[in-house]
Structures are given as structure tokens and as C-alpha cells.
Amino acid sequence: MNRTVTASPLVGVTLPSESGRLPEALLAGTRPIELQAPHARSSRIHCDLDFEALAAHIGNHPMHRADDVFIHVVNASTSPGGHLTQSGAGPNFDGGLISLCSCSHGMRATLDPQDWPGRWIAGFTSYTGEFGHQQYLRYLMRVGEAYASHHELATALIGSGRSDVLDAKDASRHASGDIWRMKPGSVTQTGHWRASTYCRPVIGHAHREDIDDETWHKDIEYVDRYGRRPALLIGDPGWSFVWNQPFICKTDPGPLRGHRRISVKALLTHLRSSLPERAEDAVLLGIASSSVQPGPDREI
């Protein structure tokens, strides 16, 4: 199904280590849930860094704010061998950029779009038995762009020559999509926040399981109790990290409602390596031994 959107002028806002065996729960023979669309990904997005490499990389960043990191829980599952997979629509890793546009509405509404670039967001797996009551780092990104509505974001991607990114994240085409495109001829300022002006996501989407499911309306129309709308966030690809393996976990796992806001230094203090000590342990856990050996950043 092909969708189009009429572009309009828009100015967007751009801008120590411990070892331990992975819990047996990660080895359970759960059915993998793969919602990611098969699109090319940017080689600039770092994938499956170990803790030491991440700490060194983040430590070299020239600027940190005292309240730099927003921490939240993402919808993730485990597949055989302990791989981390998506079970929801957000965050979305397709198209070579990390986007956060369809989950954690309350967190994204805490700042205006112009205040998001430069902030960091860290997503962890949930504190459940599936993950052995441990929380693993699924992604980390420094926000590079933020927009007020799905239409503004879609228009900015088209206007900047990134239509392929929009196509990869289009919820009307992919079950993993997290960007909604306006129906042709529906471009009005007030319509930016009305679900009726947008193309519906495909059936089978995490927010539209069947023809009568209108969960996706929240992604367009959400307003918090203070009257604020959630910003649509895009990660800076040079400072974006994704983990498909449970390589890094929290030192203090536990239930988390909503989100927390801490410094980068505090985040690193509360992280540790979850890699096995020995390569043979990695093989038993279904992790390629080459992943455990020191080496250059692995990328997607």
C-alpha cells in the first residue's frame, strides 16, 4: 500500500565492570516476535557494544547536562538464544535512525520540542520473569531532532531528502512503523493532532490489532494533564546505540513506572556488563563468541 504526503515549509529542531552468567529465563524457548521492517540501517548507529566500549564512547562526548538522561521501559521480548526483539512499535530502529514517536507519551510531553535536542534517552527491558528479573539496555540515543506533530516530522524528512527513512517508518505500510502520514488533502494546522486526518496503521500494528482497534489515536491526540503534547523524537545517528543481545544490565533492577531523569554519570554508575566471563559460556548461552572478545564497535 503506497501513501503520499504533500510537503510544506517547515523548520524542525535539529541541531566497575562486573561479569555474570545470563539468567536461565533468557534461554527459554519463547517464540520470537519480529516487527522490524527489513530496511537498510545506518552504519553510524552502534550495535551491541559491551559496557567498557559504551562507557568510553559516552565519556568522550563533549557536553553533558545535569539532568541529561530520561530512562524508561520498552516493549521487548526474548527469542531463543536470549536475543532481544521488539514486541511493540516504539522505539523504531528502521531507516537508519532511532525514532521515538508512538510510546512513552507522558515522558515525551515533559519538554517542548525545542528543549529535547541534546537530551539522552535510555530504554530498558521490563522487570519480569522473562528477563530473569533483570533489566537490560535495549537502546540509548542522544536526541538530534524533535517535532511537534507527526505531520511536521514527516514533512521534515521529505524536505531534507530522507523520504526513504519515512517510508521505512510509515505505520500505514509496516507493522513496526511509528510515524503517521496525513491523508492527501488533509493538511490543516488543527488537523495535525486529529487522528481522522491521518492514514490508519496497517492491521496487525501494535496499536491497531484489528479493524476496530483505535489505540493508535492516542499517538496523534495525546495531551497530558497539563495540556502538553508529546514531542516526536529522532536520535542523532552518531550518538545512537542499539542492543540485540543482553550485554549491559542495571545494577539496581526493579519496577519502573513512567520514567526517571538522571545524569549521564549516574546512568553509567548504574550499569554493568552482563557478558559471560568465558567464551564457552557464551556459546552455551547462544551468543557468538566473537561478540564477547574485545574489538571495534559492532554496528548496524
Side-chain angles (χ1 to χ4, degrees), residues 4-10 151 154-156 158-159 187:
T4 59
V5 64
T6 303
S8 60
L10 169 76
H151 176 62
T155 302
I158 293 173
V187 181

Side-chain angles (χ1 to χ4, degrees), residues 2-7 158 166 170 172 181-185 199:
N2 294 319
R3 304 285 187 182
T4 59
V5 64
T6 303
I158 293 173
L166 177 58
D170 185 350
S172 70
R181 303 176 79 157
M182 269 197 173
K183 298 174 182 176
C199 300

Side-chain angles (χ1 to χ4, degrees), residues 108-293:
R108 292 187 286 114
T110 58
L111 296 176
D112 292 331
Q114 64 267 24
D115 296 324
W116 270 109
R119 310 282 181 169
W120 293 79
I121 301 177
F124 287 87
T125 60
S126 58
Y127 182 69
T128 62
E130 180 177 8
F131 299 100
H133 294 290
Q134 179 53 270
Q135 289 178 287
Y136 295 95
L137 191 56
R138 178 65 169 127
Y139 85 102
L140 173 67
M141 74 176 186
R142 186 173 189 263
V143 178
E145 305 170 54
Y147 300 91
S149 71
H150 283 268
H151 176 62
E152 288 189 358
L153 172 53
T155 302
L157 290 174
I158 293 173
S160 59
R162 294 177 290 174
S163 296
D164 58 328
V165 175
L166 177 58
D167 290 341
K169 296 178 179 291
D170 185 350
S172 70
R173 302 175 64 183
H174 308 294
S176 61
D178 72 337
I179 299 179
W180 275 251
R181 303 176 79 157
M182 269 197 173
K183 298 174 182 176
S186 299
V187 181
T188 64
Q189 187 62 38
T190 57
H192 287 198
W193 297 283
R194 284 208 309 265
S196 61
T197 64
Y198 285 86
C199 300
R200 293 176 294 180
V202 295
I203 294 177
H205 189 279
H207 293 178
R208 191 183 178 223
E209 294 184 355
D210 55 52
I211 194 170
D212 297 319
D213 188 355
E214 297 182 346
T215 304
W216 66 278
H217 286 196
K218 179 181 178 181
D219 300 320
I220 308 294
E221 301 176 349
Y222 179 90
V223 179
D224 71 7
R225 60 179 177 173
Y226 303 107
R228 302 175 301 194
R229 297 183 183 276
L232 295 261
L233 308 177
I234 300 292
D236 179 341
W239 296 97
S240 295
F241 309 84
V242 175
W243 283 268
N244 298 309
Q245 303 271 9
F247 282 173
I248 300 176
C249 63
K250 293 182 67 177
T251 59
D252 58 343
L256 174 64
R257 295 185 60 185
H259 68 278
R260 292 176 58 195
R261 190 171 172 179
I262 64 175
S263 67
V264 169
K265 181 178 180 180
L267 173 68
L268 295 177
T269 300
H270 287 82
L271 296 178
R272 68 174 178 85
S273 173
S274 55
L275 289 171
E277 289 183 293
R278 303 177 304 170
E280 51 265 38
D281 291 336
V283 174
L284 291 174
L285 292 171
I287 299 174
S289 58
S290 59
S291 302
V292 185
Q293 304 302 322

Side-chain angles (χ1 to χ4, degrees), residues 15-57:
L15 276 180
S17 176
E18 298 175 29
S19 302
R21 295 183 64 94
L22 299 178
E24 292 184 1
L26 285 174
L27 302 179
T30 56
R31 180 181 179 183
I33 303 176
E34 294 287 357
L35 293 183
Q36 300 297 349
H39 293 282
R41 299 179 178 183
S42 169
S43 60
R44 294 174 294 176
I45 299 180
H46 304 281
C47 182
D48 289 337
L49 271 66
D50 58 30
F51 174 75
E52 289 75 14
L54 175 67
H57 199 85

